[in-house]
């Protein structure tokens, strides 16, 4: 059983590596189209390069904002799709993705646990952002105040009916 799970995690890690490599190649091609040399990104972060050519800094800021936008679109669509597929059981998908992400990171950085801290923090942040405080839970709150008041009113009526039944049953029991 141990050998089966070790092979399964190896194949999972290799599959995610291929997926991440594909995304990285698409991203570097997009950066090349924007005129940013993706093979030497550290050059763009040096203060001397920014002082010599401020347009590079603007391109880098634009590329970072574009990356954030693409990432938020991808994560938003992905988790919205999961929320639509799983409905009330979305938490199972969240827990499964969180577990698989942690397994991937811990397997990837098996020999170097110090480098696993930042990716694990990112995974935990995404896990909490997709929880009850996330966009996916707030999306269904577009009902009006009147609808909410009507719902509360009907709940109060149901509670009053149940309370009357309980009181009637107690009265019957005390009369007998």
């Amino acid at each position: 059983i141990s050998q089966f799970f070790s092979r399964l995690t190896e194949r999972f890690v290799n599959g995610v590596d291929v997926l991440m490599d594909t995304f990285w190649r698409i991203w570097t091609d997009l950066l090349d189209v924007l005129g940013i040399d993706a093979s030497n990104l550290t050059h763009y972060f040096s203060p001397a390069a920014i002082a010599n050519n401020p347009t590079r800094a603007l391109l880098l800021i634009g590329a970072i904002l574009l990356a954030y936008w693409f990432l938020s679109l991808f994560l938003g669509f992905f988790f919205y799709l999961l929320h639509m597929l799983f409905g009330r059981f979305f938490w199972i998908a969240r827990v499964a993705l969180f577990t698989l992400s942690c397994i991937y990171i811990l397997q990837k950085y098996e020999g170097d646990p110090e480098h696993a801290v930042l990716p694990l923090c990112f995974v935990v942040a995404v896990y909490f952002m997709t929880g009850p405080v996330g966009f996916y839970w707030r999306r269904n709150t577009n009902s009006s105040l009147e609808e909410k008041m009507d719902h509360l009113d009907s709940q109060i009526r149901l509670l009053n009916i149940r309370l009357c039944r309980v009181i009637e049953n107690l009265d019957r029991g005390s009369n007998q």
Side-chain angles (χ1 to χ4, degrees):
I1 293 175
S2 173
Q3 189 178 21
F4 170 74
F5 282 118
S6 68
R7 284 186 182 177
L8 186 67
T9 55
E10 267 183 44
R11 288 187 178 151
F12 172 73
V13 168
N14 287 337
V16 172
D17 282 342
V18 168
L19 180 71
M20 296 302 284
D21 187 46
T22 303
F23 283 145
W24 181 252
R25 287 182 187 194
I26 291 170
W27 178 244
T28 55
D29 289 344
L30 185 64
L31 287 178
D32 286 339
V33 167
L34 290 174
I36 297 173
D37 182 23
S39 63
N40 192 12
L41 285 177
T42 57
H43 170 72
Y44 292 99
F45 290 113
S46 70
I50 293 174
N52 291 338
N53 197 351
T55 56
R56 282 189 177 173
L58 289 176
L59 274 174
L60 184 64
I61 290 170
I64 290 171
L65 289 175
L66 187 68
Y68 175 75
W69 183 64
F70 277 134
L71 183 66
S72 66
L73 277 177
F74 173 74
L75 287 176
F77 176 72
F78 181 69
F79 283 109
Y80 178 72
L81 183 68
L82 284 178
H83 197 268
M84 293 301 294
L85 287 174
F86 290 102
R88 290 182 178 226
F89 299 105
F90 176 63
W91 65 272
I92 294 173
R94 282 181 57 229
V95 169
L97 285 172
F98 177 71
T99 305
L100 290 173
S101 300
C102 289
I103 287 172
Y104 171 74
I105 292 169
L106 292 174
Q107 182 77 19
K108 189 75 175 164
Y109 297 106
E110 188 175 10
D112 198 13
E114 292 87 21
H115 287 94
V117 173
L118 189 62
L120 284 173
C121 289
F122 177 73
V123 166
V124 169
V126 169
Y127 178 76
F128 283 114
M129 284 189 297
T130 59
V133 295
F135 167 74
Y136 325 99
W137 297 78
R138 287 181 277 141
R139 188 175 183 100
N140 295 331
T141 60
N142 55 2
S143 59
S144 67
L145 184 61
E146 292 86 17
E147 291 173 3
K148 290 179 182 178
M149 293 297 289
D150 289 338
H151 178 69
L152 284 174
D153 191 35
S154 65
Q155 292 291 324
I156 290 172
R157 279 191 217 127
L158 286 173
L159 286 174
N160 282 334
I161 291 170
R162 289 178 185 158
L163 182 63
C164 288
R165 287 181 186 163
V166 168
I167 291 172
E168 287 174 5
N169 288 336
L170 288 174
D171 287 341
R172 280 188 224 153
S174 64
N175 289 340
Q176 292 177 356

